[in-house]
Amino acid sequence: MIIVFKKDATKNEINDLIKRVKKLGLKAMVSRGEERTIVGVIGPEDIVRLHPLDVLPGVDKVMPVLAPYKLVSREFKKENSIIKIREGIEIGSEKIAIIAGPCSIESESQIDEIAGKIKEGGAGILRGGAFKPRSSPYTFQGLGEEGLKMLKAVSDKFNIPTATEVMDTRDVDLVAKYTDILQIGARNMQNFNLLKEVGQTKKPIILKRGLSATIKELLMSAEYILSEGNFNVILCERGIRTFEEFTRNTLDLSAVPSIKMLSHLPVIVDPSHACGKWGLVAPLSKAAVACGTDGLLLEVHSNPKEALSDGSQQLLPENFNNLVGELRSVAKAVGRQI
Ligand code: PEP
Ligand code: MN
């Protein structure tokens, strides 16, 4: 249920309604748009039906939200959401965010070298995993807190914000201490307790689409985070499982304009995990920019052959630099910039 206020509604009228909603045992989520304020009411709809809210002063209309996701939907918020990462760095605006770095943080010198190179090459955000969701328990699992410390040190040295994955509810506070953006990996897209936990923080969240998740399921997972009060969610298309096995996954680029149609949240694309082959990353990145992505998540490694994870899909820094150059003209062609 969405309450749309009249353009001239006063602060007191809005606050009175919020108090009333809370008294009924429902949640009120406020979205202050440029023109009007909207309040999303979350909870059993029959309670709202028994206690009509459209009679309250300042209220223009009460609208049911037909989609199963409410706060995430375009019906709730017409304008695109822009997620602020740090002063001057945001995701969802005209500028396309380039998030780059190794699959895993392997050592301080490794992450230091790559951070310097990707920043020089045009990345605005550094990525790197310290907690790695590996298919085999016998492969490298990440450096844990030691890795997070390395990421933070390099972030401070190069003055670049970071994104890193959190896999466990017990680690949310720990990971949040060291990074600007928390990433929920594809395998945890439906770990609802983890979604609720990161929803309690104020950190921007990159929510990756599950391996076999529909767009609707991705949006429902995002709803978990927003319903806890954290509206700073960035959705990520990273390829889905299909019958094709030449590529690691199948990049579903139609997800980008589809999500934009259904939701106000920004959407980024991870071509590295989608295809699993470094030689396919450049063409897929260009296609993603052409079809409206708000950002790219790119794996970059100085020595991919020796990488402790995902060696086959990581770009060399020089290939990354060339790609960013080429992407600038694609971005320009679709009215965006990098
Ligand atoms: C990652 O980005 O490090 C990662 C593991 O990706 P995904 O969750 O999409 O597989
Ligand atoms: Mn990886």
Side-chain angles (χ1 to χ4, degrees):
M1 195 77 57
I2 291 176
I3 318 284
V4 183
F5 280 90
K6 292 177 184 154
K7 278 186 189 162
D8 58 358
T10 64
K11 260 193 185 158
N12 281 345
E13 287 170 341
I14 296 168
N15 287 340
D16 285 349
L17 179 126
I18 293 171
K19 269 190 220 146
R20 175 94 163 241
V21 166
K22 288 190 177 159
K23 232 177 158 177
L24 293 172
L26 304 165
K27 258 191 194 171
M29 302 302 224
V30 187
S31 160
R32 290 179 211 280
E34 264 169 35
E35 290 209 349
R36 293 161 184 255
T37 296
I38 288 173
V39 175
V41 177
I42 308 291
E45 304 228 327
D46 45 341
I47 298 183
V48 186
R49 248 173 265 127
L50 285 172
H51 302 86
L53 298 168
D54 50 357
V55 293
L56 296 182
V59 173
D60 184 9
K61 54 188 169 192
V62 177
M63 291 162 48
V65 180
L66 300 177
Y69 38 85
K70 314 283 178 200
L71 305 169
V72 159
S73 73
R74 273 269 177 220
E75 287 165 276
F76 178 60
K77 186 167 176 246
K78 265 210 260 15
E79 317 91 63
N80 290 335
S81 286
I82 297 174
I83 315 295
K84 191 171 164 193
I85 311 298
R86 274 192 195 174
E87 206 49 53
I89 300 187
E90 45 193 29
I91 302 182
S93 61
E94 197 185 311
K95 196 166 178 272
I96 295 169
I98 304 291
I99 307 162
C103 179
S104 300
I105 301 156
E106 299 171 5
S107 66
E108 184 141 2
S109 61
Q110 173 245 18
I111 191 76
D112 185 284
E113 182 184 352
I114 301 174
K117 288 187 172 161
I118 57 114
K119 185 163 185 190
E120 215 179 281
I125 300 168
L126 172 68
R127 63 145 287 148
F131 291 98
K132 295 305 301 176
R134 305 305 303 283
S135 301
S136 164
Y138 306 120
T139 52
F140 179 60
Q141 303 286 304
L143 296 179
E145 188 173 3
E146 282 314 298
L148 294 175
K149 285 183 183 161
M150 295 170 189
L151 187 68
K152 177 79 172 73
V154 163
S155 166
D156 291 344
K157 177 175 165 189
F158 291 99
N159 187 27
I160 186 169
T162 59
T164 195
E165 177 160 354
V166 58
M167 288 170 57
D168 193 310
T169 49
R170 292 167 295 186
D171 294 331
V172 170
D173 290 343
L174 175 86
V175 181
K177 213 166 74 182
Y178 292 103
T179 191
D180 297 85
I181 303 173
L182 294 171
Q183 179 173 308
I184 302 292
R187 289 152 194 84
N188 271 318
M189 188 203 84
Q190 286 187 316
N191 181 339
F192 301 116
N193 287 337
L194 184 57
L195 299 177
K196 284 191 222 163
E197 199 73 27
V198 298
Q200 303 261 329
T201 74
K202 299 219 173 338
K203 290 269 174 184
I205 310 293
I206 292 178
L207 176 63
K208 299 189 94 177
R209 184 177 181 182
L211 275 68
S212 300
T214 62
I215 291 169
K216 186 168 148 190
E217 285 164 341
L218 172 62
L219 295 174
M220 291 304 295
S221 288
E223 186 79 16
Y224 266 92
I225 304 174
L226 271 71
S227 71
E228 292 294 323
N230 186 351
F231 277 61
N232 300 315
V233 175
I234 301 134
L235 301 167
C236 179
E237 163 59 37
R238 48 76 73 203
I240 47 172
R241 279 277 167 88
T242 68
F243 53 81
E244 182 51 67
E245 48 188 20
F246 179 69
T247 47
R248 183 175 178 181
N249 294 288
T250 297
L251 180 60
D252 177 16
L253 274 184
S254 63
V256 176
S258 304
I259 289 170
K260 293 214 159 274
M261 206 179 273
L262 299 169
S263 174
H264 54 87
L265 295 175
V267 52
I268 63 170
V269 169
D270 171 353
S272 307
H273 289 91
C275 67
K277 289 180 162 68
W278 72 266
L280 298 180
V281 169
L284 294 180
S285 301
K286 291 176 203 166
V289 168
C291 83
T293 192
D294 293 308
L296 288 168
L297 191 63
L298 297 165
E299 285 194 339
V300 180
H301 198 287
S302 306
N303 186 3
K305 284 199 179 85
E306 302 285 322
L308 296 181
S309 57
D310 286 351
S312 60
Q313 68 198 31
Q314 307 206 52
L315 293 174
L316 283 166
E318 49 268 38
N319 291 337
F320 169 75
N321 286 1
N322 292 339
L323 173 59
V324 175
E326 290 172 1
L327 289 172
R328 289 211 165 95
S329 38
V330 184
K332 199 168 163 216
V334 292
R336 306 285 292 266
Q337 43 167 301
I338 286 181

